[in-house]
Amino acid sequence: AKEGDEAGRSRALEARAELAIDPTWKALFYVELAQLAADGGDGARAYELLDAAGALDGHARFLTRKVLETIAARQDNAEEVARALEGQAELIADALADAEQGDATGVPRGMRTAAYAADAFLRASELRARGGDADAAATLLDRAVQALPTSSLLARAKIVALEKAGRAMEAAELAKHPLDGGASGPGAAALWLRIAESSAATGDRDAALLALG
């Protein structure tokens, strides 16, 4: 009986989505259908519906990326979680650049901060790195650093990535940016240590000693 109820509900929602003229309402119907599909174990169908909803010019675009993250996380689908986070980060970045655009895509005002954008880019980068897509991970990490250039945490993440890629000189140079911007405390101490390590790795003994001093 329960399966029959869900099938009937899905058909009703599909009919309402088909008739909906307003893109926001149509997207919301798609989101509800996606949640039903996910609950029924059809993740592929859920992702397809959420992408269809996200492609509509309505106020539910950001919501579709949040729901995608929730469903994908529940299904342990790291690739789709990363895609959801990328979408959220891009929409937040757009909202920061243009408040009206943020209103149009439904980005909550409380989330329109550089910190939220950077966090989403960083989490997406980490997931792409774990999935073996080093280029995408590096690009997303760059976007996180661009969103919040004074963050010691992001600077350290970028430095580690550069060091893993054998680019020690660039790592040392990058470590100086948040310090020049006034970073202090434990985070700054860690950056000074990174500068010393990177300088030592490139044979710049004087720079290494200066960083440690």
Side-chain angles (χ1 to χ4, degrees):
K2 184 177 180 182
E3 289 182 2
D5 290 345
E6 290 180 352
R9 185 180 172 197
S10 291
R11 286 194 297 271
L13 285 168
E14 287 170 0
R16 294 177 74 183
E18 183 70 23
L19 294 172
I21 297 174
D22 181 85
T24 298
W25 277 108
K26 186 182 287 285
L28 291 173
F29 289 136
Y30 283 155
V31 167
E32 194 167 353
L33 280 166
Q35 291 170 323
L36 284 175
D39 290 342
D42 193 347
R45 175 63 173 159
Y47 303 147
E48 179 183 330
L49 285 162
L50 288 170
D51 284 345
L56 295 170
D57 290 328
H59 299 299
R61 287 185 64 191
F62 188 80
L63 174 65
T64 69
R65 301 305 89 187
K66 291 296 289 183
V67 175
L68 176 59
E69 179 190 0
T70 299
I71 290 175
R74 199 165 63 220
Q75 297 180 341
D76 292 324
N77 190 327
E79 182 176 349
E80 290 296 330
V81 173
R83 198 164 66 87
L85 289 168
E86 289 172 33
Q88 291 172 40
E90 292 288 358
L91 289 172
I92 293 171
D94 289 345
L96 286 170
D98 184 343
E100 289 186 2
Q101 178 68 10
D103 292 339
T105 56
V107 180
R109 290 187 178 274
M111 294 185 69
R112 297 183 197 183
T113 68
Y116 269 111
D119 177 69
F121 278 128
L122 177 61
R123 287 192 289 148
S125 172
E126 291 170 343
L127 288 170
R128 293 299 188 193
R130 288 176 205 159
D133 192 342
D135 289 341
T139 298
L140 289 163
L141 183 53
D142 283 341
R143 293 294 304 276
V145 172
Q146 290 168 12
L148 208 61
T150 60
S151 168
S152 298
L153 172 65
L154 292 176
R156 289 198 299 275
K158 179 64 175 176
I159 290 162
V160 169
L162 288 170
E163 289 173 344
K164 285 182 178 178
R167 297 157 63 184
M169 290 183 68
E170 289 179 60
E173 190 62 33
L174 179 62
K176 297 175 184 176
H177 292 175
L179 293 170
D180 291 341
S184 60
L191 289 174
W192 281 117
L193 182 58
R194 284 291 184 186
I195 293 173
E197 291 171 346
S198 297
S199 298
T202 58
D204 192 342
R205 181 172 176 273
D206 290 341
L209 290 173
L210 180 63
L212 290 172

